[in-house]
Amino acid sequence: LLAQLDAATPAGVVISSSTSGYPMTDMQTEAADPGRLLVGHPFNPPYLIPLVEVVGGEKTDPAAVTWASRFFEVAGKSVITMDRELPGFIANRLQEALWREALHMVANGEATVKEIDDSITEGPGLRWAFMGPCLTFALAGGEGGMGHMLDHFGPSLKSPWTRLEAPELDATLRSAMVEGCDEAADGRTIAQLVAQRDQGVIDVLRATGRLPQQANGDTK
């Protein structure tokens, strides 16, 4: 199909696939001009969810990736331009890990579907709505941030809390996580991040009707 689109489309037009998992490298093999083929993966419902993951294949022209990312940004999307492709991209791989663990728990009679869904909507999902898992975990380290969190809780990666094998928490991975959280914090202190997290949870709970709305004039 992509080869047919490539043949029927004027030169220079970027062609974006909404595939949810296939790498573009595997799909651009039959196209005469594979340099303009790339992935622009949205999330359902795309008219509400802002995320689009953009990534090219081995034969994709970097200029096409730059153009596509800008196109989606102008369209109002929140764009992640991936440095390298991998099956499932970023968000779907994270969703899949959670989904597989949920299926294991149901299959083994360890939890019901409702318990699993409630554990997310009433728990970490409230935080994930505005602060991702990495920065959320960094706050568990207090003023020591991600570094202290990894040093303190890192050994628990070897505990049987998941059926997925944990990566080795070596110095390289530790540094990458600490530096990544510092970058994500963007100058905000731990106290500022905690305040943002708490206000975000309050806002989400109010928006979903689980906390009363603010009274007139109440800014807290």
Side-chain angles (χ1 to χ4, degrees):
L1 176 59
L2 289 174
Q4 293 173 12
L5 288 172
D6 176 47
T9 306
V13 174
V14 174
I15 300 174
S16 172
S17 169
S18 62
T19 175
S20 296
Y22 295 123
M24 180 49 68
T25 295
D26 295 343
M27 299 193 296
Q28 63 188 177
T29 55
E30 300 299 321
D33 184 11
R36 58 175 169 165
L37 297 179
L38 51 83
V39 170
H41 176 227
F43 281 77
N44 283 320
Y47 50 85
L48 291 177
I49 304 298
L51 180 62
V52 176
E53 295 169 314
V54 176
V55 61
E58 292 178 358
K59 296 181 179 179
T60 302
D61 185 342
V65 174
T66 300
W67 186 93
S69 295
R70 180 58 182 158
F71 171 84
F72 287 117
E73 288 171 354
V74 171
K77 292 296 188 178
S78 177
V79 179
I80 294 178
T81 304
M82 297 177 59
D83 294 327
R84 54 188 295 183
E85 63 177 349
L86 72 165
F89 317 118
I90 298 173
N92 269 349
R93 291 182 73 95
L94 294 172
Q95 288 188 130
E96 182 72 9
L98 185 63
W99 176 234
R100 291 188 183 194
E101 190 65 31
L103 291 177
H104 275 299
M105 287 190 281
V106 171
N108 294 334
E110 298 160 344
T112 67
V113 169
K114 185 177 187 307
E115 288 171 341
I116 290 169
D117 280 354
D118 287 349
S119 75
I120 298 301
T121 61
E122 302 299 317
L126 292 171
R127 302 177 303 196
W128 291 344
F130 51 87
M131 189 175 290
C134 296
L135 205 54
T136 294
F137 274 147
L139 298 187
E143 291 298 327
M146 177 58 75
H148 178 68
M149 184 273 182
L150 290 174
D151 294 340
H152 187 68
F153 294 105
S156 68
L157 290 172
K158 302 300 182 181
S159 300
W161 291 0
T162 175
R163 292 169 178 83
L164 298 174
E165 184 178 350
E168 189 65 34
L169 185 55
D170 56 19
T172 300
L173 178 55
R174 184 187 184 280
S175 295
M177 293 302 298
V178 172
E179 292 170 7
C181 284
D182 288 343
E183 181 180 355
D186 196 24
R188 290 170 292 176
T189 66
I190 292 295
Q192 290 171 326
L193 288 169
V194 168
Q196 180 183 347
R197 177 199 62 191
D198 294 352
Q199 186 60 53
V201 171
I202 291 170
D203 291 343
V204 170
L205 289 172
R206 281 178 171 155
T208 55
R210 284 176 277 176
L211 271 183
Q213 296 295 323
Q214 293 172 297
N216 291 335
D218 181 9
T219 58
K220 295 183 179 179

